[in-house]
């Protein structure tokens, strides 16, 4: 029964289109999607070759990277030109049994490729809204005869599915580009707040992703992580977390963020002014004493005045020495033992205020606290303020409605200053609570902080020394030793590809 056979064949082909439609929806890569559509189209209408042209509305052109028989070079031509251009413009299918008999046919491509076009079926790919997204063109029906009405119907049905899938992918790409742009803008915001850390976010992202990529190749060196691998989505999640990990610095006061020495520059100027006043007072006193000597003991005046000058010189040296000592305490170096005794001694000295005539200490309480910082340049309060950047980062990232595949970004970033021993901040998490991506980022963050020559008062540490410092941290159980081994053996800093 030929009628039944024909019906069965039609059902089979329609079923085939449904299968293809399912595959198309799942594809996220535009190039692969276009190839898939072209293959399906050739199969459905039994064509020798198929091409797919997309409409570029901005340029009023059609373009293609997928035309069977002409390689993968990009082809572009104006809307309305040739058969595909006409179909795109008119939104009406064209079915030509004999190409060379049709004036719209351009034989140029045949000449170029040595192909002989006979029959052509060209249909618009319409979106659900009826807009032409592109054109599907089938060449040379296999076997006898031209393309049939049924072919036209089937190819149009496939074109509709393809248009929906293409729109999906393009929308997906737009969302990704939008998000990428937003992340980049945020990085600019962080780095303009703290210009001394310029490039840090990008470098931490590069190293973190580089470490993630090196892990599956590391085999036995990966230790407990042997066989572990981040999926593409997890890799992107780690990358965004790394790019944004220090965003919370925008919530930390700028002078604390860029503080180079223990006293702020204006605080140091006040202190300098005090020492200068003191010296001026000593000089004035000496002059007064000299006048007194001249009046009261003119005979011994010369010897007594020389004595006064000598005392003044000694006092000058003493005060200058004290100020130089204060200057040395102001720098963020590690201070030797006994330093604080001398600071205390100086603080206990007093001078008379030239305005209120009150006796005041040489160094105020808050100045002593700042100058006595044992390591670095930050007081306890300032250190806590800087540390709060992690919590600010987390709060900021939590505001973003992350997609399902990126929902762990805030958590990954939240843990970047935690230590596996529980000695990190802000939550003092312990080993089991710290995820693999966070551990990767922590190593990358420490490495970059050590090796970047980004601060005028901080010397960059060479790679080997940075590895040693990280090695010590791993020995103390603070950072992940297995990941550090992979980081070093795979030479992640030297080999990881640059951030896009
Ligand atoms: Fe940080
Ligand atoms: Fe950082």
């Amino acid at each position: 029964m030929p009628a039944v056979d024909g019906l069965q064949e039609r059902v089979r082909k329609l079923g085939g289109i449904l299968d293809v439609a399912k595959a198309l929806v799942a594809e996220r890569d535009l190039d692969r999607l276009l190839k898939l559509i072209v293959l399906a189209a050739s199969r459905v209408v039994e064509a020798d070759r198929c091409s797919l042209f997309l409409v570029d509305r901005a340029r009023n052109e059609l373009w293609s990277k997928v035309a069977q028989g002409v390689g993968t070079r990009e082809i572009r031509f104006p809307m309305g030109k040739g058969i595909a251009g006409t179909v795109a413009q008119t939104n009406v299918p064209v079915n030509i049994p004999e190409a060379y008999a049709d004036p719209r046919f351009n034989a140029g491509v045949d000449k170029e490729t040595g192909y002989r076009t006979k029959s052509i079926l060209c249909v618009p790919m319409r979106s659900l809204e009826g807009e032409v997204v592109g054109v599907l063109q089938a060449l040379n029906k296999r076997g006898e005869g031209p393309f049939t009405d049924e072919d036209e119907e089937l190819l149009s049905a496939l074109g509709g599915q393809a248009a929906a899938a293409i729109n999906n992918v393009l929308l997906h790409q737009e969302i990704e580009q939008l998000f990428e742009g937003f992340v980049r803008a945020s990085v600019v915001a962080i780095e303009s707040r703290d210009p001394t850390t310029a490039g840090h976010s990008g470098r931490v992202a590069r190293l973190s992703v580089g470490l993630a990529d090196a892990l599956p190749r590391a085999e036995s060196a990966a230790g407990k992580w042997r066989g572990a691998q981040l999926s593409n989505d997890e890799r992107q999640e780690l990358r965004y977390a790394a790019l944004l990990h220090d965003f919370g610095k925008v919530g930390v006061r700028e002078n604390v963020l860029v503080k180079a020495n223990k006293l702020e520059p204006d605080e140091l100027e006040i202190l300098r002014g005090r020492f200068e006043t003191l010296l001026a007072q000593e000089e004035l006193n000496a002059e007064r004493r000299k006048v007194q000597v001249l009046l009261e003991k003119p005979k011994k005046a010369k010897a007594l005045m020389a004595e006064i000058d000598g005392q003044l010189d000694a006092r000058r040296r003493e005060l200058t020495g004290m100020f130089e000592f204060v200057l040395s305490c102001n720098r963020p170096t590690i201070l030797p033992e006994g330093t604080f005794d001398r600071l205390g001694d100086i603080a206990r000295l007093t001078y008379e205020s030239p305005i209120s005539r009150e006796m005041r200490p040489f160094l105020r309480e808050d100045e002593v606290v700042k100058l006595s910082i044992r390591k670095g340049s930050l007081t306890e309060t300032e250190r806590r303020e800087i540390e709060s950047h992690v919590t600010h980062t987390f709060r900021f990232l939590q505001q973003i409605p992350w997609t399902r595949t990126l929902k762990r970004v805030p958590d990954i970033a939240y843990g970047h200053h935690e230590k596996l021993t529980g000695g990190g901040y802000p939550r003092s998490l312990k080993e089991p609570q710290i995820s693999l991506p966070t551990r990767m980022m922590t190593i990358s963050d420490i490495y970059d902080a050590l090796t970047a020559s980004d601060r005028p008062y901080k010397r960059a540490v060479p790679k080997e020394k940075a590895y040693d410092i990280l090695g010590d941290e791993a020995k103390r159980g603070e950072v992940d030793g297995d990941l550090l081994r992979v980081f070093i053996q795979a030479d992640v800093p030297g080999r990881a590809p640059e951030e896009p």
Side-chain angles (χ1 to χ4, degrees), residues 200 245-246 445:
H200 173 68
H245 78 281
D246 276 337
D445 189 36

Side-chain angles (χ1 to χ4, degrees), residues 200 204 245-246 249 389 416-417 445:
H200 173 68
V204 174
H245 78 281
D246 276 337
K249 284 189 177 171
H389 79 272
H416 79 271
H417 284 294
D445 189 36

Side-chain angles (χ1 to χ4, degrees), residues 110-363:
D110 273 9
K111 252 184 228 147
E112 211 180 292
T113 57
Y115 189 71
R116 175 79 187 177
T117 304
K118 204 174 163 333
S119 51
I120 303 177
L121 175 60
C122 192
V123 302
M125 296 182 347
R126 293 191 202 102
S127 68
L128 282 176
E129 296 77 30
E131 193 192 31
V132 181
V133 174
V135 166
L136 265 176
Q137 179 175 268
L139 300 183
N140 292 1
K141 172 92 178 171
R142 290 211 185 107
E144 289 299 301
F147 290 103
T148 62
D149 287 351
E150 191 191 24
D151 288 333
E152 187 180 316
E153 204 184 325
L154 289 170
L155 198 61
S156 296
L158 180 71
Q161 298 299 331
I166 290 169
N167 268 348
N168 241 341
V169 168
L170 292 179
L171 197 66
H172 198 79
Q173 276 181 358
E174 265 176 43
I175 293 171
E176 272 178 3
Q177 279 162 9
L178 179 80
F179 202 75
E180 189 73 28
F182 160 77
V183 170
R184 286 191 184 285
S186 305
V187 169
V188 171
I190 312 164
E191 297 187 348
S192 53
R193 187 66 199 268
D194 183 5
T196 52
T197 61
H200 173 68
S201 313
R203 290 193 301 267
V204 174
R206 169 183 172 262
L207 296 171
S208 304
V209 172
L211 177 54
D213 290 345
L215 187 61
R217 294 194 297 266
E219 299 191 345
S220 62
K224 62 181 169 299
W225 300 114
R226 190 172 183 170
Q229 185 168 8
L230 298 194
S231 68
N232 276 343
D233 287 339
E234 287 168 334
R235 192 173 174 271
Q236 184 69 311
E237 207 172 35
L238 169 62
R239 181 172 164 259
Y240 282 149
L243 282 170
L244 296 170
H245 78 281
D246 276 337
F247 187 84
K249 284 189 177 171
V250 297
V252 177
R253 282 180 301 144
E254 202 159 353
N255 56 350
V256 177
L257 218 50
V258 300
K259 198 174 174 202
N261 293 310
K262 298 176 188 175
L263 295 175
E264 303 286 353
D266 51 349
E267 289 176 320
L268 183 66
E269 278 319 296
I270 292 171
L271 203 57
R272 188 195 302 276
R274 197 180 305 150
F275 273 92
E276 281 167 355
T277 311
L278 270 171
L279 197 57
Q281 278 182 351
E282 295 286 347
E283 282 166 356
L284 195 64
N285 279 341
E287 290 309 315
R288 277 202 195 113
R289 280 171 63 203
K290 281 189 203 166
V291 172
Q292 216 171 1
V293 162
L294 272 175
L295 292 174
E296 290 172 8
K297 296 171 184 165
K299 281 184 193 155
K300 290 185 192 168
K302 204 176 169 192
L304 286 171
M305 277 164 73
E307 198 183 312
I308 292 168
D309 276 337
Q311 284 167 352
L312 178 63
D313 270 349
R315 188 67 178 142
R316 189 180 283 126
R317 277 197 300 278
E318 193 187 356
L319 283 172
T320 315
M322 271 187 215
F323 188 65
E324 272 164 10
F325 173 71
V326 168
L327 281 183
S328 73
C329 291
N330 188 37
R331 285 190 281 273
T333 43
I334 297 173
L335 297 175
E337 280 301 313
T339 305
F340 304 112
D341 298 342
R342 188 165 174 207
L343 261 182
D345 291 345
I346 298 175
R348 272 189 293 278
L349 296 174
T350 52
Y351 72 101
E352 189 187 287
S353 157
I355 300 170
S356 68
R357 298 286 162 206
E358 278 172 18
M359 293 309 284
R360 298 237 172 109
F362 265 28
L363 293 174

